[in-house]
PDB file of all heavy atoms in Angstrom:
ATOM      1  N   HIS A   1       0.855  -1.190   0.000  1.00 96.00           N
ATOM      2  CA  HIS A   1       0.000   0.000   0.000  1.00 96.00           C
ATOM      3  C   HIS A   1       0.886   1.233   0.000  1.00 96.00           C
ATOM      4  O   HIS A   1       1.927   1.259   0.648  1.00 96.00           O
ATOM      5  CB  HIS A   1      -0.925   0.026   1.222  1.00 96.00           C
ATOM      6  CG  HIS A   1      -1.804   1.239   1.258  1.00 96.00           C
ATOM      7  ND1 HIS A   1      -2.949   1.367   0.502  1.00 96.00           N
ATOM      8  CD2 HIS A   1      -1.653   2.412   1.937  1.00 96.00           C
ATOM      9  CE1 HIS A   1      -3.488   2.560   0.714  1.00 96.00           C
ATOM     10  NE2 HIS A   1      -2.735   3.196   1.583  1.00 96.00           N
ATOM     11  N   TRP A   2       0.457   2.232  -0.729  1.00 97.00           N
ATOM     12  CA  TRP A   2       1.158   3.506  -0.713  1.00 97.00           C
ATOM     13  C   TRP A   2       0.132   4.621  -0.781  1.00 97.00           C
ATOM     14  O   TRP A   2      -1.005   4.421  -1.204  1.00 97.00           O
ATOM     15  CB  TRP A   2       2.155   3.612  -1.864  1.00 97.00           C
ATOM     16  CG  TRP A   2       1.548   3.523  -3.239  1.00 97.00           C
ATOM     17  CD1 TRP A   2       1.120   4.562  -4.023  1.00 97.00           C
ATOM     18  CD2 TRP A   2       1.295   2.333  -4.002  1.00 97.00           C
ATOM     19  NE1 TRP A   2       0.621   4.092  -5.215  1.00 97.00           N
ATOM     20  CE2 TRP A   2       0.728   2.733  -5.228  1.00 97.00           C
ATOM     21  CE3 TRP A   2       1.507   0.972  -3.764  1.00 97.00           C
ATOM     22  CZ2 TRP A   2       0.353   1.821  -6.220  1.00 97.00           C
ATOM     23  CZ3 TRP A   2       1.137   0.063  -4.741  1.00 97.00           C
ATOM     24  CH2 TRP A   2       0.572   0.483  -5.959  1.00 97.00           C
ATOM     25  N   ALA A   3       0.528   5.800  -0.342  1.00 97.00           N
ATOM     26  CA  ALA A   3      -0.351   6.962  -0.321  1.00 97.00           C
ATOM     27  C   ALA A   3       0.033   7.909  -1.451  1.00 97.00           C
ATOM     28  O   ALA A   3       1.163   7.853  -1.962  1.00 97.00           O
ATOM     29  CB  ALA A   3      -0.245   7.675   1.030  1.00 97.00           C
ATOM     30  N   PRO A   4      -0.874   8.788  -1.873  1.00 97.00           N
ATOM     31  CA  PRO A   4      -0.530   9.749  -2.921  1.00 97.00           C
ATOM     32  C   PRO A   4       0.652  10.604  -2.496  1.00 97.00           C
ATOM     33  O   PRO A   4       0.704  11.111  -1.379  1.00 97.00           O
ATOM     34  CB  PRO A   4      -1.808  10.582  -3.081  1.00 97.00           C
ATOM     35  CG  PRO A   4      -2.612  10.316  -1.849  1.00 97.00           C
ATOM     36  CD  PRO A   4      -2.268   8.937  -1.421  1.00 97.00           C
ATOM     37  N   GLY A   5       1.623  10.739  -3.394  1.00 97.00           N
ATOM     38  CA  GLY A   5       2.837  11.488  -3.099  1.00 97.00           C
ATOM     39  C   GLY A   5       4.009  10.613  -2.718  1.00 97.00           C
ATOM     40  O   GLY A   5       5.147  11.085  -2.674  1.00 97.00           O
ATOM     41  N   ASP A   6       3.766   9.317  -2.433  1.00 97.00           N
ATOM     42  CA  ASP A   6       4.850   8.429  -2.023  1.00 97.00           C
ATOM     43  C   ASP A   6       5.783   8.102  -3.187  1.00 97.00           C
ATOM     44  O   ASP A   6       5.479   8.368  -4.359  1.00 97.00           O
ATOM     45  CB  ASP A   6       4.291   7.141  -1.425  1.00 97.00           C
ATOM     46  CG  ASP A   6       3.828   7.322   0.016  1.00 97.00           C
ATOM     47  OD1 ASP A   6       4.108   8.381   0.602  1.00 97.00           O
ATOM     48  OD2 ASP A   6       3.176   6.404   0.554  1.00 97.00           O
ATOM     49  N   LEU A   7       6.924   7.493  -2.835  1.00 97.00           N
ATOM     50  CA  LEU A   7       7.987   7.211  -3.791  1.00 97.00           C
ATOM     51  C   LEU A   7       8.263   5.717  -3.857  1.00 97.00           C
ATOM     52  O   LEU A   7       7.954   4.981  -2.914  1.00 97.00           O
ATOM     53  CB  LEU A   7       9.275   7.938  -3.379  1.00 97.00           C
ATOM     54  CG  LEU A   7       9.163   9.433  -3.089  1.00 97.00           C
ATOM     55  CD1 LEU A   7      10.450   9.935  -2.430  1.00 97.00           C
ATOM     56  CD2 LEU A   7       8.874  10.209  -4.362  1.00 97.00           C
ATOM     57  N   LEU A   8       8.858   5.300  -4.960  1.00 98.00           N
ATOM     58  CA  LEU A   8       9.401   3.946  -5.053  1.00 98.00           C
ATOM     59  C   LEU A   8      10.910   4.064  -5.185  1.00 98.00           C
ATOM     60  O   LEU A   8      11.414   4.763  -6.070  1.00 98.00           O
ATOM     61  CB  LEU A   8       8.830   3.202  -6.265  1.00 98.00           C
ATOM     62  CG  LEU A   8       9.223   1.718  -6.332  1.00 98.00           C
ATOM     63  CD1 LEU A   8       8.516   0.926  -5.240  1.00 98.00           C
ATOM     64  CD2 LEU A   8       8.938   1.116  -7.703  1.00 98.00           C
ATOM     65  N   GLU A   9      11.623   3.395  -4.278  1.00 97.00           N
ATOM     66  CA  GLU A   9      13.082   3.338  -4.351  1.00 97.00           C
ATOM     67  C   GLU A   9      13.485   2.087  -5.112  1.00 97.00           C
ATOM     68  O   GLU A   9      13.078   0.977  -4.752  1.00 97.00           O
ATOM     69  CB  GLU A   9      13.684   3.320  -2.941  1.00 97.00           C
ATOM     70  CG  GLU A   9      13.517   4.631  -2.207  1.00 97.00           C
ATOM     71  CD  GLU A   9      14.254   4.646  -0.886  1.00 97.00           C
ATOM     72  OE1 GLU A   9      14.424   3.575  -0.274  1.00 97.00           O
ATOM     73  OE2 GLU A   9      14.662   5.734  -0.460  1.00 97.00           O
ATOM     74  N   ILE A  10      14.286   2.274  -6.148  1.00 98.00           N
ATOM     75  CA  ILE A  10      14.694   1.167  -7.009  1.00 98.00           C
ATOM     76  C   ILE A  10      16.204   1.009  -6.942  1.00 98.00           C
ATOM     77  O   ILE A  10      16.953   1.993  -7.016  1.00 98.00           O
ATOM     78  CB  ILE A  10      14.260   1.420  -8.466  1.00 98.00           C
ATOM     79  CG1 ILE A  10      12.727   1.364  -8.570  1.00 98.00           C
ATOM     80  CG2 ILE A  10      14.882   0.409  -9.417  1.00 98.00           C
ATOM     81  CD1 ILE A  10      12.202   1.652  -9.957  1.00 98.00           C
ATOM     82  N   ALA A  11      16.655  -0.237  -6.797  1.00 97.00           N
ATOM     83  CA  ALA A  11      18.085  -0.545  -6.878  1.00 97.00           C
ATOM     84  C   ALA A  11      18.419  -0.778  -8.351  1.00 97.00           C
ATOM     85  O   ALA A  11      18.040  -1.806  -8.915  1.00 97.00           O
ATOM     86  CB  ALA A  11      18.405  -1.784  -6.046  1.00 97.00           C
ATOM     87  N   PRO A  12      19.127   0.163  -8.988  1.00 97.00           N
ATOM     88  CA  PRO A  12      19.402   0.010 -10.418  1.00 97.00           C
ATOM     89  C   PRO A  12      20.540  -0.970 -10.663  1.00 97.00           C
ATOM     90  O   PRO A  12      21.239  -1.390  -9.730  1.00 97.00           O
ATOM     91  CB  PRO A  12      19.804   1.422 -10.844  1.00 97.00           C
ATOM     92  CG  PRO A  12      20.460   1.986  -9.619  1.00 97.00           C
ATOM     93  CD  PRO A  12      19.706   1.395  -8.447  1.00 97.00           C
ATOM     94  N   ARG A  13      20.741  -1.322 -11.902  1.00 97.00           N
ATOM     95  CA  ARG A  13      21.837  -2.209 -12.295  1.00 97.00           C
ATOM     96  C   ARG A  13      22.517  -1.623 -13.528  1.00 97.00           C
ATOM     97  O   ARG A  13      21.896  -0.950 -14.346  1.00 97.00           O
ATOM     98  CB  ARG A  13      21.330  -3.620 -12.606  1.00 97.00           C
ATOM     99  CG  ARG A  13      20.619  -4.285 -11.434  1.00 97.00           C
ATOM    100  CD  ARG A  13      20.209  -5.707 -11.764  1.00 97.00           C
ATOM    101  NE  ARG A  13      21.360  -6.608 -11.760  1.00 97.00           N
ATOM    102  CZ  ARG A  13      21.778  -7.284 -10.703  1.00 97.00           C
ATOM    103  NH1 ARG A  13      21.165  -7.144  -9.549  1.00 97.00           N
ATOM    104  NH2 ARG A  13      22.817  -8.093 -10.779  1.00 97.00           N
ATOM    105  N   GLN A  14      23.811  -1.885 -13.627  1.00 96.00           N
ATOM    106  CA  GLN A  14      24.531  -1.572 -14.849  1.00 96.00           C
ATOM    107  C   GLN A  14      24.045  -2.519 -15.954  1.00 96.00           C
ATOM    108  O   GLN A  14      23.796  -3.703 -15.709  1.00 96.00           O
ATOM    109  CB  GLN A  14      26.037  -1.761 -14.655  1.00 96.00           C
ATOM    110  CG  GLN A  14      26.666  -0.917 -13.572  1.00 96.00           C
ATOM    111  CD  GLN A  14      27.000   0.488 -14.046  1.00 96.00           C
ATOM    112  OE1 GLN A  14      26.691   0.877 -15.175  1.00 96.00           O
ATOM    113  NE2 GLN A  14      27.652   1.251 -13.170  1.00 96.00           N
ATOM    114  N   ARG A  15      23.941  -2.011 -17.167  1.00 94.00           N
ATOM    115  CA  ARG A  15      23.578  -2.884 -18.278  1.00 94.00           C
ATOM    116  C   ARG A  15      24.741  -3.829 -18.600  1.00 94.00           C
ATOM    117  O   ARG A  15      25.912  -3.478 -18.451  1.00 94.00           O
ATOM    118  CB  ARG A  15      23.198  -2.045 -19.493  1.00 94.00           C
ATOM    119  CG  ARG A  15      21.873  -1.294 -19.298  1.00 94.00           C
ATOM    120  CD  ARG A  15      21.529  -0.439 -20.483  1.00 94.00           C
ATOM    121  NE  ARG A  15      22.547   0.572 -20.686  1.00 94.00           N
ATOM    122  CZ  ARG A  15      22.858   1.095 -21.873  1.00 94.00           C
ATOM    123  NH1 ARG A  15      22.253   0.662 -22.963  1.00 94.00           N
ATOM    124  NH2 ARG A  15      23.779   2.028 -21.972  1.00 94.00           N
ATOM    125  N   ALA A  16      24.408  -5.030 -19.034  1.00 94.00           N
ATOM    126  CA  ALA A  16      25.411  -6.076 -19.236  1.00 94.00           C
ATOM    127  C   ALA A  16      26.495  -5.645 -20.219  1.00 94.00           C
ATOM    128  O   ALA A  16      27.684  -5.937 -20.020  1.00 94.00           O
ATOM    129  CB  ALA A  16      24.736  -7.356 -19.728  1.00 94.00           C
ATOM    130  N   GLU A  17      26.116  -4.929 -21.277  1.00 94.00           N
ATOM    131  CA  GLU A  17      27.126  -4.522 -22.263  1.00 94.00           C
ATOM    132  C   GLU A  17      28.097  -3.496 -21.687  1.00 94.00           C
ATOM    133  O   GLU A  17      29.274  -3.470 -22.046  1.00 94.00           O
ATOM    134  CB  GLU A  17      26.455  -3.970 -23.525  1.00 94.00           C
ATOM    135  CG  GLU A  17      25.523  -2.803 -23.324  1.00 94.00           C
ATOM    136  CD  GLU A  17      24.076  -3.215 -23.111  1.00 94.00           C
ATOM    137  OE1 GLU A  17      23.847  -4.309 -22.553  1.00 94.00           O
ATOM    138  OE2 GLU A  17      23.182  -2.435 -23.489  1.00 94.00           O
ATOM    139  N   ARG A  18      27.615  -2.652 -20.775  1.00 94.00           N
ATOM    140  CA  ARG A  18      28.486  -1.685 -20.111  1.00 94.00           C
ATOM    141  C   ARG A  18      29.504  -2.414 -19.231  1.00 94.00           C
ATOM    142  O   ARG A  18      30.693  -2.085 -19.222  1.00 94.00           O
ATOM    143  CB  ARG A  18      27.642  -0.710 -19.293  1.00 94.00           C
ATOM    144  CG  ARG A  18      28.393   0.126 -18.268  1.00 94.00           C
ATOM    145  CD  ARG A  18      29.392   1.064 -18.881  1.00 94.00           C
ATOM    146  NE  ARG A  18      30.026   1.895 -17.871  1.00 94.00           N
ATOM    147  CZ  ARG A  18      31.237   2.419 -17.974  1.00 94.00           C
ATOM    148  NH1 ARG A  18      31.958   2.218 -19.070  1.00 94.00           N
ATOM    149  NH2 ARG A  18      31.747   3.154 -17.007  1.00 94.00           N
ATOM    150  N   VAL A  19      29.040  -3.424 -18.476  1.00 96.00           N
ATOM    151  CA  VAL A  19      29.934  -4.199 -17.617  1.00 96.00           C
ATOM    152  C   VAL A  19      31.004  -4.896 -18.454  1.00 96.00           C
ATOM    153  O   VAL A  19      32.201  -4.873 -18.115  1.00 96.00           O
ATOM    154  CB  VAL A  19      29.141  -5.234 -16.801  1.00 96.00           C
ATOM    155  CG1 VAL A  19      30.080  -6.200 -16.082  1.00 96.00           C
ATOM    156  CG2 VAL A  19      28.246  -4.529 -15.784  1.00 96.00           C
ATOM    157  N   ALA A  20      30.614  -5.511 -19.555  1.00 96.00           N
ATOM    158  CA  ALA A  20      31.572  -6.235 -20.393  1.00 96.00           C
ATOM    159  C   ALA A  20      32.646  -5.303 -20.941  1.00 96.00           C
ATOM    160  O   ALA A  20      33.842  -5.639 -20.930  1.00 96.00           O
ATOM    161  CB  ALA A  20      30.832  -6.928 -21.531  1.00 96.00           C
ATOM    162  N   ALA A  21      32.234  -4.129 -21.410  1.00 95.00           N
ATOM    163  CA  ALA A  21      33.203  -3.176 -21.960  1.00 95.00           C
ATOM    164  C   ALA A  21      34.137  -2.650 -20.877  1.00 95.00           C
ATOM    165  O   ALA A  21      35.338  -2.464 -21.112  1.00 95.00           O
ATOM    166  CB  ALA A  21      32.465  -2.028 -22.641  1.00 95.00           C
ATOM    167  N   TRP A  22      33.608  -2.413 -19.682  1.00 96.00           N
ATOM    168  CA  TRP A  22      34.422  -1.877 -18.585  1.00 96.00           C
ATOM    169  C   TRP A  22      35.395  -2.924 -18.063  1.00 96.00           C
ATOM    170  O   TRP A  22      36.533  -2.605 -17.698  1.00 96.00           O
ATOM    171  CB  TRP A  22      33.495  -1.407 -17.465  1.00 96.00           C
ATOM    172  CG  TRP A  22      34.201  -0.720 -16.331  1.00 96.00           C
ATOM    173  CD1 TRP A  22      34.524   0.598 -16.237  1.00 96.00           C
ATOM    174  CD2 TRP A  22      34.676  -1.334 -15.126  1.00 96.00           C
ATOM    175  NE1 TRP A  22      35.162   0.849 -15.057  1.00 96.00           N
ATOM    176  CE2 TRP A  22      35.272  -0.314 -14.346  1.00 96.00           C
ATOM    177  CE3 TRP A  22      34.651  -2.635 -14.631  1.00 96.00           C
ATOM    178  CZ2 TRP A  22      35.839  -0.562 -13.099  1.00 96.00           C
ATOM    179  CZ3 TRP A  22      35.215  -2.879 -13.386  1.00 96.00           C
ATOM    180  CH2 TRP A  22      35.799  -1.857 -12.636  1.00 96.00           C
ATOM    181  N   LEU A  23      34.982  -4.173 -18.024  1.00 97.00           N
ATOM    182  CA  LEU A  23      35.800  -5.236 -17.450  1.00 97.00           C
ATOM    183  C   LEU A  23      36.937  -5.663 -18.377  1.00 97.00           C
ATOM    184  O   LEU A  23      38.007  -6.089 -17.904  1.00 97.00           O
ATOM    185  CB  LEU A  23      34.895  -6.438 -17.142  1.00 97.00           C
ATOM    186  CG  LEU A  23      35.500  -7.629 -16.391  1.00 97.00           C
ATOM    187  CD1 LEU A  23      36.098  -7.188 -15.064  1.00 97.00           C
ATOM    188  CD2 LEU A  23      34.436  -8.703 -16.186  1.00 97.00           C
ATOM    189  N   GLN A  24      36.756  -5.528 -19.666  1.00 96.00           N
ATOM    190  CA  GLN A  24      37.710  -6.067 -20.639  1.00 96.00           C
ATOM    191  C   GLN A  24      39.152  -5.584 -20.414  1.00 96.00           C
ATOM    192  O   GLN A  24      40.087  -6.401 -20.406  1.00 96.00           O
ATOM    193  CB  GLN A  24      37.225  -5.726 -22.055  1.00 96.00           C
ATOM    194  CG  GLN A  24      37.951  -6.452 -23.171  1.00 96.00           C
ATOM    195  CD  GLN A  24      39.205  -5.710 -23.611  1.00 96.00           C
ATOM    196  OE1 GLN A  24      39.251  -4.462 -23.502  1.00 96.00           O
ATOM    197  NE2 GLN A  24      40.202  -6.441 -24.072  1.00 96.00           N
ATOM    198  N   PRO A  25      39.419  -4.271 -20.170  1.00 96.00           N
ATOM    199  CA  PRO A  25      40.812  -3.841 -19.980  1.00 96.00           C
ATOM    200  C   PRO A  25      41.482  -4.408 -18.732  1.00 96.00           C
ATOM    201  O   PRO A  25      42.714  -4.422 -18.638  1.00 96.00           O
ATOM    202  CB  PRO A  25      40.706  -2.309 -19.879  1.00 96.00           C
ATOM    203  CG  PRO A  25      39.387  -1.966 -20.482  1.00 96.00           C
ATOM    204  CD  PRO A  25      38.502  -3.126 -20.175  1.00 96.00           C
ATOM    205  N   LEU A  26      40.713  -4.896 -17.760  1.00 96.00           N
ATOM    206  CA  LEU A  26      41.289  -5.404 -16.515  1.00 96.00           C
ATOM    207  C   LEU A  26      41.750  -6.854 -16.635  1.00 96.00           C
ATOM    208  O   LEU A  26      42.437  -7.363 -15.747  1.00 96.00           O
ATOM    209  CB  LEU A  26      40.271  -5.264 -15.378  1.00 96.00           C
ATOM    210  CG  LEU A  26      39.888  -3.825 -14.998  1.00 96.00           C
ATOM    211  CD1 LEU A  26      38.804  -3.843 -13.927  1.00 96.00           C
ATOM    212  CD2 LEU A  26      41.108  -3.041 -14.516  1.00 96.00           C
ATOM    213  N   GLY A  27      41.350  -7.526 -17.696  1.00 94.00           N
ATOM    214  CA  GLY A  27      41.833  -8.878 -17.942  1.00 94.00           C
ATOM    215  C   GLY A  27      41.297  -9.937 -17.012  1.00 94.00           C
ATOM    216  O   GLY A  27      41.907 -10.997 -16.856  1.00 94.00           O
ATOM    217  N   LEU A  28      40.156  -9.684 -16.374  1.00 96.00           N
ATOM    218  CA  LEU A  28      39.553 -10.668 -15.477  1.00 96.00           C
ATOM    219  C   LEU A  28      38.406 -11.372 -16.184  1.00 96.00           C
ATOM    220  O   LEU A  28      37.670 -10.767 -16.959  1.00 96.00           O
ATOM    221  CB  LEU A  28      39.043  -9.983 -14.202  1.00 96.00           C
ATOM    222  CG  LEU A  28      40.102  -9.368 -13.290  1.00 96.00           C
ATOM    223  CD1 LEU A  28      39.436  -8.561 -12.185  1.00 96.00           C
ATOM    224  CD2 LEU A  28      41.005 -10.443 -12.702  1.00 96.00           C
ATOM    225  N   ALA A  29      38.230 -12.645 -15.893  1.00 96.00           N
ATOM    226  CA  ALA A  29      37.173 -13.421 -16.528  1.00 96.00           C
ATOM    227  C   ALA A  29      35.812 -13.030 -15.961  1.00 96.00           C
ATOM    228  O   ALA A  29      35.638 -12.936 -14.740  1.00 96.00           O
ATOM    229  CB  ALA A  29      37.411 -14.911 -16.318  1.00 96.00           C
ATOM    230  N   ALA A  30      34.863 -12.794 -16.852  1.00 97.00           N
ATOM    231  CA  ALA A  30      33.527 -12.370 -16.426  1.00 97.00           C
ATOM    232  C   ALA A  30      32.844 -13.409 -15.558  1.00 97.00           C
ATOM    233  O   ALA A  30      32.007 -13.073 -14.716  1.00 97.00           O
ATOM    234  CB  ALA A  30      32.668 -12.061 -17.651  1.00 97.00           C
ATOM    235  N   ASP A  31      33.207 -14.702 -15.725  1.00 96.00           N
ATOM    236  CA  ASP A  31      32.548 -15.752 -14.948  1.00 96.00           C
ATOM    237  C   ASP A  31      33.324 -16.152 -13.695  1.00 96.00           C
ATOM    238  O   ASP A  31      33.024 -17.167 -13.065  1.00 96.00           O
ATOM    239  CB  ASP A  31      32.280 -16.980 -15.815  1.00 96.00           C
ATOM    240  CG  ASP A  31      33.566 -17.572 -16.404  1.00 96.00           C
ATOM    241  OD1 ASP A  31      34.645 -16.999 -16.177  1.00 96.00           O
ATOM    242  OD2 ASP A  31      33.467 -18.606 -17.101  1.00 96.00           O
ATOM    243  N   SER A  32      34.334 -15.330 -13.317  1.00 96.00           N
ATOM    244  CA  SER A  32      35.018 -15.565 -12.045  1.00 96.00           C
ATOM    245  C   SER A  32      34.012 -15.477 -10.904  1.00 96.00           C
ATOM    246  O   SER A  32      33.059 -14.700 -10.962  1.00 96.00           O
ATOM    247  CB  SER A  32      36.129 -14.525 -11.827  1.00 96.00           C
ATOM    248  OG  SER A  32      37.076 -14.554 -12.860  1.00 96.00           O
ATOM    249  N   ARG A  33      34.230 -16.287  -9.856  1.00 97.00           N
ATOM    250  CA  ARG A  33      33.284 -16.308  -8.746  1.00 97.00           C
ATOM    251  C   ARG A  33      33.703 -15.337  -7.646  1.00 97.00           C
ATOM    252  O   ARG A  33      34.870 -15.288  -7.250  1.00 97.00           O
ATOM    253  CB  ARG A  33      33.184 -17.723  -8.168  1.00 97.00           C
ATOM    254  CG  ARG A  33      32.604 -18.732  -9.152  1.00 97.00           C
ATOM    255  CD  ARG A  33      31.123 -18.476  -9.384  1.00 97.00           C
ATOM    256  NE  ARG A  33      30.576 -19.296 -10.463  1.00 97.00           N
ATOM    257  CZ  ARG A  33      29.294 -19.402 -10.726  1.00 97.00           C
ATOM    258  NH1 ARG A  33      28.421 -18.725  -9.994  1.00 97.00           N
ATOM    259  NH2 ARG A  33      28.869 -20.143 -11.728  1.00 97.00           N
ATOM    260  N   VAL A  34      32.729 -14.547  -7.176  1.00 97.00           N
ATOM    261  CA  VAL A  34      32.968 -13.607  -6.081  1.00 97.00           C
ATOM    262  C   VAL A  34      31.823 -13.738  -5.083  1.00 97.00           C
ATOM    263  O   VAL A  34      30.785 -14.345  -5.384  1.00 97.00           O
ATOM    264  CB  VAL A  34      33.057 -12.147  -6.595  1.00 97.00           C
ATOM    265  CG1 VAL A  34      34.241 -11.973  -7.537  1.00 97.00           C
ATOM    266  CG2 VAL A  34      31.756 -11.733  -7.279  1.00 97.00           C
ATOM    267  N   GLU A  35      32.002 -13.140  -3.918  1.00 96.00           N
ATOM    268  CA  GLU A  35      30.976 -13.217  -2.872  1.00 96.00           C
ATOM    269  C   GLU A  35      30.565 -11.822  -2.433  1.00 96.00           C
ATOM    270  O   GLU A  35      31.419 -10.959  -2.191  1.00 96.00           O
ATOM    271  CB  GLU A  35      31.518 -14.004  -1.681  1.00 96.00           C
ATOM    272  CG  GLU A  35      30.478 -14.252  -0.588  1.00 96.00           C
ATOM    273  CD  GLU A  35      31.011 -15.099   0.541  1.00 96.00           C
ATOM    274  OE1 GLU A  35      31.393 -16.264   0.280  1.00 96.00           O
ATOM    275  OE2 GLU A  35      31.063 -14.582   1.677  1.00 96.00           O
ATOM    276  N   ILE A  36      29.262 -11.602  -2.350  1.00 94.00           N
ATOM    277  CA  ILE A  36      28.711 -10.353  -1.823  1.00 94.00           C
ATOM    278  C   ILE A  36      27.648 -10.713  -0.790  1.00 94.00           C
ATOM    279  O   ILE A  36      26.661 -11.373  -1.121  1.00 94.00           O
ATOM    280  CB  ILE A  36      28.076  -9.490  -2.937  1.00 94.00           C
ATOM    281  CG1 ILE A  36      29.126  -9.043  -3.951  1.00 94.00           C
ATOM    282  CG2 ILE A  36      27.413  -8.257  -2.328  1.00 94.00           C
ATOM    283  CD1 ILE A  36      28.558  -8.180  -5.072  1.00 94.00           C
ATOM    284  N   GLY A  37      27.876 -10.303   0.446  1.00 89.00           N
ATOM    285  CA  GLY A  37      26.891 -10.559   1.500  1.00 89.00           C
ATOM    286  C   GLY A  37      26.578 -12.022   1.696  1.00 89.00           C
ATOM    287  O   GLY A  37      25.429 -12.388   1.982  1.00 89.00           O
ATOM    288  N   GLY A  38      27.573 -12.876   1.524  1.00 92.00           N
ATOM    289  CA  GLY A  38      27.374 -14.294   1.723  1.00 92.00           C
ATOM    290  C   GLY A  38      26.792 -15.029   0.529  1.00 92.00           C
ATOM    291  O   GLY A  38      26.562 -16.235   0.607  1.00 92.00           O
ATOM    292  N   VAL A  39      26.572 -14.311  -0.580  1.00 94.00           N
ATOM    293  CA  VAL A  39      26.020 -14.927  -1.791  1.00 94.00           C
ATOM    294  C   VAL A  39      27.118 -14.993  -2.852  1.00 94.00           C
ATOM    295  O   VAL A  39      27.810 -14.004  -3.108  1.00 94.00           O
ATOM    296  CB  VAL A  39      24.818 -14.121  -2.320  1.00 94.00           C
ATOM    297  CG1 VAL A  39      24.278 -14.737  -3.611  1.00 94.00           C
ATOM    298  CG2 VAL A  39      23.721 -14.046  -1.257  1.00 94.00           C
ATOM    299  N   THR A  40      27.295 -16.142  -3.476  1.00 96.00           N
ATOM    300  CA  THR A  40      28.301 -16.311  -4.524  1.00 96.00           C
ATOM    301  C   THR A  40      27.694 -15.970  -5.881  1.00 96.00           C
ATOM    302  O   THR A  40      26.612 -16.450  -6.236  1.00 96.00           O
ATOM    303  CB  THR A  40      28.838 -17.752  -4.542  1.00 96.00           C
ATOM    304  OG1 THR A  40      29.429 -18.041  -3.261  1.00 96.00           O
ATOM    305  CG2 THR A  40      29.892 -17.918  -5.631  1.00 96.00           C
ATOM    306  N   LEU A  41      28.412 -15.118  -6.629  1.00 95.00           N
ATOM    307  CA  LEU A  41      27.935 -14.638  -7.925  1.00 95.00           C
ATOM    308  C   LEU A  41      29.065 -14.679  -8.936  1.00 95.00           C
ATOM    309  O   LEU A  41      30.245 -14.703  -8.579  1.00 95.00           O
ATOM    310  CB  LEU A  41      27.436 -13.184  -7.811  1.00 95.00           C
ATOM    311  CG  LEU A  41      26.340 -12.856  -6.810  1.00 95.00           C
ATOM    312  CD1 LEU A  41      26.247 -11.349  -6.642  1.00 95.00           C
ATOM    313  CD2 LEU A  41      25.014 -13.411  -7.287  1.00 95.00           C
ATOM    314  N   LYS A  42      28.702 -14.633 -10.212  1.00 97.00           N
ATOM    315  CA  LYS A  42      29.700 -14.385 -11.241  1.00 97.00           C
ATOM    316  C   LYS A  42      30.166 -12.928 -11.145  1.00 97.00           C
ATOM    317  O   LYS A  42      29.389 -12.042 -10.779  1.00 97.00           O
ATOM    318  CB  LYS A  42      29.118 -14.651 -12.627  1.00 97.00           C
ATOM    319  CG  LYS A  42      28.824 -16.111 -12.924  1.00 97.00           C
ATOM    320  CD  LYS A  42      28.284 -16.275 -14.330  1.00 97.00           C
ATOM    321  CE  LYS A  42      27.994 -17.748 -14.638  1.00 97.00           C
ATOM    322  NZ  LYS A  42      27.458 -17.920 -16.012  1.00 97.00           N
ATOM    323  N   LEU A  43      31.412 -12.681 -11.493  1.00 97.00           N
ATOM    324  CA  LEU A  43      31.963 -11.333 -11.401  1.00 97.00           C
ATOM    325  C   LEU A  43      31.122 -10.344 -12.207  1.00 97.00           C
ATOM    326  O   LEU A  43      30.805  -9.251 -11.722  1.00 97.00           O
ATOM    327  CB  LEU A  43      33.415 -11.322 -11.899  1.00 97.00           C
ATOM    328  CG  LEU A  43      34.094  -9.951 -11.992  1.00 97.00           C
ATOM    329  CD1 LEU A  43      34.116  -9.261 -10.632  1.00 97.00           C
ATOM    330  CD2 LEU A  43      35.509 -10.093 -12.553  1.00 97.00           C
ATOM    331  N   ALA A  44      30.764 -10.694 -13.420  1.00 97.00           N
ATOM    332  CA  ALA A  44      29.990  -9.773 -14.259  1.00 97.00           C
ATOM    333  C   ALA A  44      28.658  -9.420 -13.613  1.00 97.00           C
ATOM    334  O   ALA A  44      28.215  -8.258 -13.651  1.00 97.00           O
ATOM    335  CB  ALA A  44      29.767 -10.376 -15.642  1.00 97.00           C
ATOM    336  N   THR A  45      28.007 -10.398 -13.009  1.00 97.00           N
ATOM    337  CA  THR A  45      26.728 -10.145 -12.334  1.00 97.00           C
ATOM    338  C   THR A  45      26.917  -9.221 -11.143  1.00 97.00           C
ATOM    339  O   THR A  45      26.130  -8.297 -10.918  1.00 97.00           O
ATOM    340  CB  THR A  45      26.101 -11.469 -11.881  1.00 97.00           C
ATOM    341  OG1 THR A  45      25.932 -12.325 -13.016  1.00 97.00           O
ATOM    342  CG2 THR A  45      24.757 -11.243 -11.211  1.00 97.00           C
TER     343      THR A  45
END
């Protein structure tokens, strides 16, 4: 439920093509595994 005038806060994401272009000069594999807050993810994600 929300009232008139209220807001929605959205957690945005980088677009996948932007991530790929930014990561390429660093020489790291996009599918490398990393951890954020106890969750294991691919680096690109």
